[in-house]
Amino acid sequence: MKEKLLDIRDEYLSFFTPAGEIKALNGVSFSMDEGEVLGIVGESGSGKSVTAYSIMGLTAYPGRLVSGSIRFNGHEVEKMSEKELRKMRGNEVSIIFQDPMTSLNPVYTIGNQIEEVILLHTDKTREEAKKRAKELLELVGINEPERRLKQYPHELSGGMRQRVMISIALACEPKLLIADEPTTALDVTIQAQILELMKELRSKLDMSIIMITHDLGVVASMCEKIAVMYAGHIVEYGTADEIFYEPGHEYTKGLIKSIPKLNSSEPERLVPIEGQPVDLLNPPKGCPFAPRCGSCMKICLREMPEKTELSETHYSYCWLHRKAEFEKGGGAE
Amino acid sequence: MGKYIVKRVGMGLLSIFVVATLTFFLMNMVPGGPFVAEKSISKAAQEALASKYGLDKPIMERYFTYITDFVKGDMGYSLRQRGRTVSDIIFSKFPVSAGLAGVAVAVALCVGIPLGCLSAYHRGKFGDRFIIVLATCGIAIPSFISSVVLLYTFGSRLNLLPTIGLNTFKSYIMPVTALAIYPAAYITRLMRSSLLDVMGQDYIRTAKAKGLAGFKVMFKHALRNAILPVVTYVGPMLAGLMTGSFIVEKIFTIPGLGREFVSSITNRDYTMIMGTTIILATLIIVANVIVDILYKIIDPRINLK
Ligand SMILES: Nc1ncnc2c1ncn2[C@@H]1O[C@H](COP(=O)(O)OP(=O)(O)O)[C@@H](O)[C@H]1O
Ligand code: SF4
Ligand SMILES: [Mg+2]
């Protein structure tokens, strides 16, 4: 069997704060093939960014991997030294952040910030790096690249800056590109343009993408696989079709109901998911979604749901799949 | 830029005028006068002196005379150092104080910036705590204590350094140290907190995600953004020190402007008070303009208008 590009097994990661241990990731496992596009969806605070940063060894203080393993491109990330990690970051795996307004250094030119990463990871000379930076700006659809290279971030619009961020991420032709809510901070029209660009780049360049978002609509249009995260768990994983047409978790169903349907003929009825996110300092014993779940059973409060394989590519963690058994066996409800 | 400078010069002149006016009236409201303390001279002689320097005239008249003379470049005679003009005194003493201040500030920057960086880099570790304690002491200890301690240890006990004047390189060591301790400590703390603040910014995360090494992240991406508060602090502080530190000049017997300033106030040497105050105000204004220009150079977002 061909080795996976990314294989995360049973990742537990906590932030050890003065207030206590914030259990941000609680047994996250998933894997990706080369060239695959994975969407990670889930509401704010569910652990999407923390998962992404841990792949790059960028977990912020006071966070620490408690257990589990992260294999990426032949590396055992959790065992790598800081020096080895630095060689990998921006080179084999790179990331685009949510807010392009604050993600570029205000005191250096665009050119400087793109060339920096090229000079760091390749043997190119300054001249060659500059040429490459120009190509990259063209690739991400920025006009007058020559002039832009000399400009400072504040002279560019939000959409432009996100394109620059993308060009920095692509500079060393990474195997994996992580886009952490790349459009959340942008206006709707700009959002669409950036998504269009991402799709275009995806078909042009041979790389895998992790697309993080809290918006199912965004992943629907570009991801093959989708992982749904809730309270530091991947509660459901499947192909885009499986997730949209046969959702196997109550939280996923809730998310799907809350997407606005643009082409629907009926008056729109959005159903937001009621209730508060989980307190990660004191996570519940059973299913993390139980307090907000309309179909909650007794066992949901008591025990963490087991993994149910719904197909070769589709699994979820929900007791509902076993409801029939419980009813036969004497009513867990 | 040109327009900005013209505007700032105009504003500066106006500020100096306001400062001069306020000082003039305030100092005349304070009881006492330049010749009152001299018990040896008779009432008649005092009056003769007052009329010689025009002090018997109404205050508004004296004010207008002073301002017109000042505009012509004449700051008058010192009332207490007979026969010397205020300009003479200032131009002979100012370079001494300014030189000392320049060296002290340079030292403070060379110590404070690296210590602040080091402290932020090792945040929470032993080195950081040690530097914080050091900086806190530096801020808390007044310069008369550090001066006296220095003078006693290196001057009298060990006999390593000269205790008087500023004649050799060695004689700079103690007064410069005494002057630099506070700003160095202050810059250390300012640099540390500003760096820690910047290190939490998104663009620092971007720099780390590029694979840059920790020191490169700190010195290329963080330092340039974090240094702005230090620049803001150093400008006016330098201006203040250049007009002399009374305590340090007194303890180390340095013929600087600081001593003149203080004694002119206690002696009610009106013309000297005006002269030194105006110099101080001018320096502070010039320092602020320089700070603004430096800001513009460091941070391209800043627009000088
Ligand atoms: N630096 C940090 N310190 C403490 N807790 C953190 C930190 N970063 C993230 N967390 C915790 O981890 C959880 C997941 O965060 P994150 O991955 O950023 O969520 P999202 O899915 O919105 O990207 C959050 O609930 C937060 O409490
Ligand atoms: S396990 Fe129970 S509480 Fe959790 S989603 Fe399924 S039905 Fe709801
Ligand atoms: Mg996030």
Side-chain angles (χ1 to χ4, degrees):
Chain A
M1 206 177 99
K2 201 166 154 273
E3 202 184 327
K4 298 275 186 188
L5 176 69
L6 175 68
D7 191 4
I8 297 182
R9 293 247 171 100
D10 232 10
E11 179 178 6
Y12 284 82
L13 192 154
S14 294
F15 289 89
F16 295 88
T17 67
E21 179 184 353
I22 297 175
K23 297 186 174 117
L25 299 183
N26 301 293
V28 167
S29 305
F30 67 91
S31 63
M32 279 178 82
D33 289 319
E34 280 196 28
E36 198 169 64
V37 179
L38 170 74
I40 302 183
V41 282
E43 64 195 1
S44 175
S46 55
K48 305 179 300 289
S49 303
V50 169
T51 308
Y53 299 164
S54 74
I55 300 171
M56 305 183 77
L58 270 182
T59 300
Y61 179 83
R64 210 172 65 225
L65 189 73
V66 178
S67 64
S69 68
I70 303 164
R71 298 280 167 283
F72 167 71
N73 202 21
H75 305 293
E76 300 180 64
V77 176
E78 75 279 5
K79 292 184 188 145
M80 286 165 86
S81 68
E82 179 59 27
K83 204 173 158 199
E84 292 166 322
L85 284 169
R86 287 203 305 264
K87 261 196 217 152
M88 180 184 88
R89 287 182 202 136
N91 190 16
E92 293 166 54
V93 49
S94 51
I95 186 161
I96 308 165
F97 295 108
Q98 178 170 337
D99 192 351
M101 302 312 269
T102 55
S103 293
L104 289 164
N105 194 330
V107 302
Y108 293 105
T109 59
I110 302 299
N112 183 323
Q113 296 187 56
I114 303 176
E115 287 154 31
E116 178 177 46
V117 69
I118 301 170
L119 292 170
L120 182 68
H121 293 296
T122 65
D123 299 326
K124 289 195 167 73
T125 62
R126 277 185 183 281
E127 270 314 298
E128 291 165 337
K130 192 170 169 219
K131 205 168 136 256
R132 170 86 178 130
K134 224 181 102 191
E135 283 168 20
L136 283 162
L137 287 187
E138 273 160 10
L139 179 72
V140 298
I142 289 184
N143 56 355
E144 300 179 78
E146 196 82 50
R147 187 165 73 90
R148 302 293 182 194
L149 287 177
K150 293 194 201 94
Q151 286 185 317
Y152 288 94
H154 72 276
E155 297 172 81
L156 270 58
S157 67
M160 284 284 197
R161 291 192 216 180
Q162 196 60 300
R163 285 171 195 264
V164 171
M165 283 300 293
I166 294 174
S167 73
I168 290 173
L170 297 179
C172 300
E173 299 177 340
K175 289 262 183 168
L176 174 64
L177 174 68
I178 301 173
D180 188 359
E181 315 215 22
T183 59
T184 308
L186 302 171
D187 310 343
V188 185
T189 42
I190 310 294
Q191 271 187 23
Q193 288 171 15
I194 295 288
L195 278 180
E196 204 46 53
L197 172 69
M198 299 271 310
K199 277 187 230 168
E200 195 187 305
L201 289 170
R202 202 216 131 177
S203 55
K204 246 189 236 177
L205 309 171
D206 177 34
M207 63 181 172
S208 307
I209 299 179
I210 294 182
M211 184 81 191
I212 295 176
T213 173
H214 58 254
D215 179 357
L216 260 185
V218 169
V219 284
S221 61
M222 72 178 287
C223 302
E224 289 141 16
K225 301 277 173 56
I226 296 174
V228 181
M229 277 195 90
Y230 189 79
H233 297 268
I234 291 192
V235 293
E236 181 169 9
Y237 178 95
T239 63
D241 282 348
E242 284 164 340
I243 296 290
F244 281 100
Y245 298 115
E246 304 149 35
H249 194 279
E250 295 304 293
Y251 177 61
T252 316
K253 289 177 195 164
L255 278 182
I256 291 170
K257 281 199 201 112
S258 65
I259 317 176
K261 289 188 188 58
L262 288 176
N263 49 5
S264 126
S265 50
E266 303 147 42
E268 227 170 73
R269 227 182 106 245
L270 292 187
V271 191
I273 304 174
E274 304 263 319
Q276 290 297 309
V278 170
D279 172 13
L280 294 172
L281 275 171
N282 303 297
K285 207 163 68 189
C287 170
F289 191 57
R292 299 164 73 179
C293 179
S295 322
C296 180
M297 301 170 288
K298 271 186 197 146
I299 188 166
C300 304
L301 296 169
R302 216 169 46 229
E303 267 175 71
M304 188 61 208
E306 286 164 7
K307 182 171 177 177
T308 311
E309 308 255 3
L310 300 168
S311 82
E312 225 164 80
T313 49
H314 190 189
Y315 59 80
S316 95
Y317 290 84
C318 175
W319 283 126
L320 272 187
H321 302 295
R322 306 266 301 274
K323 194 174 178 188
E325 267 170 63
F326 298 145
E327 279 167 356
K328 214 184 320 156
E333 201 155 359
Chain B
M1 191 77 174
K3 204 173 146 198
Y4 164 80
I5 299 214
V6 169
K7 196 174 136 196
R8 283 305 293 258
V9 168
M11 291 281 290
L13 290 176
L14 184 68
S15 313
I16 291 168
F17 173 74
V18 171
V19 167
T21 306
L22 282 175
T23 313
F24 190 89
F25 288 104
L26 283 174
M27 95 192 158
N28 277 291
M29 274 160 62
V30 177
F35 314 118
V36 177
E38 293 183 48
K39 296 204 180 68
S40 53
I41 47 174
S42 66
K43 192 104 181 136
Q46 274 188 26
E47 274 164 18
L49 274 170
S51 95
K52 179 183 171 203
Y53 291 107
L55 294 182
D56 52 349
K57 302 229 173 68
I59 184 156
M60 287 314 282
E61 189 183 334
R62 281 162 49 207
Y63 171 68
F64 286 114
T65 316
Y66 184 84
I67 295 292
T68 22
D69 284 351
F70 182 83
V71 170
K72 289 184 210 144
D74 178 6
M75 291 198 274
Y77 280 91
S78 162
L79 303 184
R80 297 293 300 242
Q81 303 181 37
R82 308 279 148 74
R84 296 191 70 191
T85 64
V86 171
S87 328
D88 266 352
I89 300 173
I90 289 178
F91 284 109
S92 72
K93 307 274 166 127
F94 176 65
V96 177
S97 294
L100 193 61
V103 178
V105 170
V107 168
L109 285 170
C110 292
V111 172
I113 291 175
L115 276 188
C117 292
L118 221 65
S119 189
Y121 193 77
H122 296 289
R123 170 193 205 165
K125 302 212 182 93
F126 175 77
D128 177 31
R129 301 234 170 95
F130 183 72
I131 291 171
I132 292 175
V133 169
L134 222 59
T136 310
C137 292
I139 287 171
I141 297 171
S143 63
F144 68 87
I145 296 200
S146 49
S147 300
V148 169
V149 170
L150 284 167
L151 199 63
Y152 180 71
T153 17
F154 298 100
S156 344
R157 293 305 295 259
L158 302 173
N159 223 341
L160 284 173
L161 299 168
T163 56
I164 288 181
L166 277 181
N167 304 314
T168 58
F169 166 76
K170 264 175 139 183
S171 57
Y172 269 88
I173 296 178
M174 285 198 289
V176 162
T177 311
L179 277 182
I181 288 177
Y182 180 84
Y186 197 88
I187 291 168
T188 303
R189 295 222 311 210
L190 205 57
M191 194 70 235
R192 177 183 183 274
S193 63
S194 170
L195 255 181
L196 287 179
D197 180 43
V198 168
M199 288 302 278
Q201 300 287 318
D202 286 352
Y203 53 83
I204 296 300
R205 192 177 53 186
T206 306
K208 287 183 188 159
K210 282 175 173 177
L212 291 171
F215 69 88
K216 190 92 196 261
V217 172
M218 182 152 236
F219 289 102
K220 179 176 171 186
H221 287 273
L223 189 57
R224 188 157 161 192
N225 284 285
I227 202 123
L228 291 175
V230 175
V231 172
T232 316
Y233 166 71
V234 165
M237 191 229 4
L238 180 63
L241 280 184
M242 277 167 94
T243 45
S245 151
F246 170 70
I247 292 163
V248 171
E249 286 176 8
K250 189 100 187 164
I251 294 179
F252 294 102
T253 334
I254 293 162
L257 201 56
R259 279 164 75 193
E260 294 299 333
F261 198 0
V262 174
S263 56
S264 71
I265 293 170
T266 44
N267 291 333
R268 305 284 187 278
D269 190 340
Y270 292 147
T271 44
M272 270 303 288
I273 295 179
M274 289 303 290
T276 39
T277 309
I278 289 171
I279 287 282
L280 178 59
T282 312
L283 281 172
I284 289 177
I285 289 163
V286 170
N288 278 318
V289 174
I290 294 176
V291 164
D292 280 358
I293 293 171
L294 276 178
Y295 250 76
K296 168 82 190 152
I297 294 171
I298 295 171
D299 188 340
R301 284 172 299 180
I302 286 161
N303 210 349
L304 295 182
K305 270 188 262 164

